[in-house]
């Protein structure tokens, strides 16, 4: 899709998808699919297996770090705020299309030098630059595609997936390797979720001069996540996170729109300005991975850098 504002791209997709759906519905109105649909009451779910109609993920009881468990499914609710439902509607419905909606996949190169995880400790507005689980985003995406391939059709009407659409923030940091991971995640193929020195994790969660502000999977390292929130140690997690694997792909045609993270560094800063306007360029292509700021840097300096890329680059370069 050509470069254009995310809001416009999304509106255009919805308009074009609506036109294609209407065309397909018109062309098949009197076909066998309609006859089958008229015989099937949508009051009975076609196949809830593998969807939130069957089960949901819930947090287990406890405080601090809490494991996840399986909860009950979500019911189908008839909305009456837009129109009054009419009797016998189940026998008149015809499934026009089944769309798979993906959004905010955020495939992340956690080893990237341009990530600013160290800013989290300063608080708002510089929060959520690093999350304990984000080095596993490619594996999560692969698991999601595997489940979608298993489901294969809309759980209510039973119509096979016509297409999938991802509505932005497919990647996290406007990087080519993240984009390649996203394309491979959906198309399928060999995926190498690694950067820098291949085969060696070089991010803020490693064992070299460990910073207690980050969760370190190594059980031997003490950090704030373990001591304050009860996070576990997971030996070998970082090695497994960067290991190449075969992505299954989603198995249907797919479309995508832009989000702010697709076109901006960390979703906030432009990454295609001349070097004199954006000193982060030398950091992005350099050999160093910042994990903290200098002792002389104050919260005031960080706040100033939040709105001025040159000042922020001066802090970390």
């Amino acid at each position: 899709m050509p470069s254009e504002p995310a809001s416009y791209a999304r509106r255009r997709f919805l308009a074009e998808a609506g036109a294609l759906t209407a065309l397909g519905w018109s062309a098949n109105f009197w076909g066998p699919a309609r006859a089958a649909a008229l015989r099937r009451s949508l009051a009975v779910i076609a196949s809830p297996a593998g969807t939130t109609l069957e089960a949901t993920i819930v947090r287990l009881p406890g405080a601090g770090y809490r494991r996840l468990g399986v909860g009950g499914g979500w019911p189908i609710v008839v909305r009456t705020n837009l129109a009054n439902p009419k009797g016998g509607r189940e026998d008149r419905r015809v499934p026009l299309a089944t769309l798979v909606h993906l959004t905010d996949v955020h495939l992340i190169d956690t080893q990237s030098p341009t990530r600013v995880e160290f800013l989290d400790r300063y608080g708002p507005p510089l929060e959520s630059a690093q999350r304990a689980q984000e080095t596993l985003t490619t594996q999560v995406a692969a698991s999601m595609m595997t489940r979608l391939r298993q489901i294969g059709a809309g759980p209510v009407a039973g119509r096979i997936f016509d297409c999938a659409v991802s509505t932005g923030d497919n990647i996290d940091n406007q990087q080519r390797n993240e984009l390649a991971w996203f394309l491979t995640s959906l198309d399928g193929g060999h995926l190498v979720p690694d950067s820098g020195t291949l085969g060696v994790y070089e991010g803020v969660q490693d064992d070299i001069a460990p910073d207690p502000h980050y969760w370190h999977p190594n059980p031997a390292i003490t950090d704030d996540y373990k001591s304050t929130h009860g996070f576990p140690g997971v030996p070998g997690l970082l090695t497994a996170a960067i290991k190449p694997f075969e992505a299954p792909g989603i198995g249907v045609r797919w479309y995508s729109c832009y989000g702010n993270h697709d076109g901006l560094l960390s979703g906030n800063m432009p990454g295609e300005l001349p070097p004199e306007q954006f000193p982060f360029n030398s950091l992005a292509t350099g050999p160093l991975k910042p994990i903290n700021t200098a002792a002389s840097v104050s919260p005031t300096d960080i706040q100033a850098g939040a709105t001025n890329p040159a000042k922020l680059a001066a802090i970390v370069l």
Side-chain angles (χ1 to χ4, degrees), residues 272-282 308-311 313:
E272 297 179 349
L273 297 175
E276 64 274 10
Q277 297 181 37
F278 194 74
F280 259 119
N281 290 340
S282 58
N308 188 320
K311 290 184 178 180

Side-chain angles (χ1 to χ4, degrees), residues 83-310:
N84 292 323
K86 296 181 180 181
R89 62 190 184 281
E90 294 87 357
D91 296 325
R92 296 191 299 269
R93 291 174 179 159
V94 178
L96 303 180
T98 298
L99 305 180
V100 176
H101 179 210
L102 308 172
T103 192
D104 293 87
V105 179
H106 282 278
L107 296 188
I108 301 174
D109 177 10
T110 58
Q111 302 175 85
S112 170
T114 58
R115 290 183 56 75
V116 288
E117 299 98 334
F118 49 85
L119 298 183
D120 278 357
R121 68 198 69 191
Y122 292 98
L126 303 166
E127 297 178 293
S128 300
Q130 192 263 339
R131 303 167 188 82
Q133 76 281 2
E134 60 191 14
T135 194
L136 299 172
T137 53
T138 56
Q139 289 82 3
V140 170
S143 178
M144 184 164 55
M145 301 309 155
T146 297
R147 174 52 59 90
L148 288 169
R149 293 180 74 100
Q150 292 170 345
I151 296 171
V156 176
R159 180 185 174 107
I160 63 172
F161 296 152
D162 291 273
C163 70
V165 56
S166 184
T167 48
D169 283 359
N170 309 301
I171 61 177
D172 193 71
N173 208 37
Q174 198 207 20
Q175 295 184 190
R176 179 177 295 179
N177 63 330
E178 290 179 339
L179 177 59
W181 298 347
F182 175 73
L183 297 177
T184 303
S185 293
L186 270 73
D187 287 341
H190 191 66
L191 199 155
V192 183
D194 197 0
S195 65
T197 304
L198 296 182
V200 180
Y201 176 84
E202 299 171 311
V204 298
Q205 293 178 295
D206 64 18
D207 302 346
I208 302 174
D211 188 321
H213 284 90
Y214 311 120
W215 175 59
H216 298 273
N218 186 343
I221 296 177
T222 301
D223 57 55
D224 294 345
Y225 281 83
K226 296 190 184 83
S227 59
T228 303
H229 303 293
F231 270 57
V234 185
L237 184 142
L238 296 179
T239 299
I242 60 174
K243 186 177 180 180
F245 64 91
E246 296 301 316
I250 196 168
V252 297
R253 69 180 68 187
W254 59 271
Y255 305 90
S256 181
C257 302
Y258 287 122
N260 59 304
H261 281 263
D262 297 305
L264 297 170
L265 291 177
S266 297
N268 297 292
M269 296 172 288
E272 297 179 349
L273 297 175
E276 64 274 10
Q277 297 181 37
F278 194 74
F280 259 119
N281 290 340
S282 58
L283 178 65
T285 58
L288 301 178
K289 164 66 177 175
I291 63 171
N292 200 349
T293 56
S296 59
V297 174
S298 70
T300 302
D301 296 327
I302 299 297
Q303 294 290 339
T307 55
N308 188 320

